Amino acid sequence: MFGNKKEAATIESALEQVGTIIGPGAVIDGPLTTKDSTRIDGTVKGNVTISGALIVGQEARIDGTVSAMNVYVAGTINGNITSPQGKVEISDTGKVFGDVTCKGIIIDENAVFQGKCEMTNLDKNSAAIAKERAAAEKSEETKKDDNKNEDKK
């Protein structure tokens, strides 16, 4: 009950930025590549490579490998999913038959996932990531200070 509201909000925010839509009834026979977020409600028979987020609608079907920043699955994907820096969400109507490589994964109750999941960035915990960010910020501040000192000379 609570997960649906969160998922709906997540998908709605992704929908606001969708640049490419493959409508219901559309069939693409071959690879699909886009540079923006994409929603698929039709069928793609080929590999899908998206630079942004990918939303797979309830009636959608993808037969091929999927690579995207984030993947939201409400339809069916027959193939591996790669989202090494993002997350994969499989809704209660979603079906994934293939391996998933991602940073984070959410699988709703009644979803179908048949394959294995490999999580990326497991060697770093949140404390290590926070330390890296702080070090990077401090390094940038030092560079700015050095530039200001050189400008004064």
Side-chain angles (χ1 to χ4, degrees):
M1 123 172 109
F2 294 108
N4 290 341
K5 289 180 183 177
K6 178 184 169 196
E7 178 184 321
T10 303
I11 291 176
E12 284 175 13
S13 65
L15 279 173
E16 292 173 6
Q17 303 166 358
V18 171
T20 303
I21 299 174
I22 308 299
V27 177
I28 296 178
D29 195 4
L32 171 67
T33 303
T34 66
K35 293 186 185 261
D36 49 5
S37 295
T38 301
R39 179 179 176 106
I40 298 175
D41 287 313
T43 301
V44 178
K45 297 177 183 176
N47 296 338
V48 177
T49 306
I50 309 297
S51 295
L54 172 64
I55 301 167
V56 181
Q58 279 188 325
E59 302 301 317
R61 180 179 181 92
I62 298 174
D63 293 318
T65 301
V66 172
S67 177
M69 183 71 71
N70 294 304
V71 181
Y72 307 94
V73 183
T76 303
I77 296 178
N78 286 309
N80 297 338
I81 300 173
T82 303
S83 180
Q85 299 303 317
K87 67 179 174 181
V88 174
E89 290 188 35
I90 307 172
S91 75
D92 58 348
T93 60
K95 296 176 184 175
V96 174
F97 302 98
D99 298 340
V100 174
T101 302
C102 61
K103 187 174 177 182
I105 189 166
I106 299 170
I107 304 173
D108 285 349
E109 186 177 2
N110 298 324
V112 175
F113 173 47
Q114 189 171 22
K116 67 176 184 170
C117 179
E118 183 178 333
M119 306 294 286
T120 58
N121 292 334
L122 284 181
D123 55 333
K124 297 179 183 178
N125 61 22
S126 59
I129 293 170
K131 285 180 183 178
E132 287 178 5
R133 285 184 189 153
E137 288 174 4
K138 187 173 183 178
S139 173
E140 272 199 34
E141 287 177 12
T142 304
K143 287 179 185 176
K144 286 180 184 176
D145 289 344
D146 289 345
N147 288 340
K148 285 181 184 176
N149 290 337
E150 286 186 20
D151 289 342
K152 290 179 182 178
K153 292 179 180 180

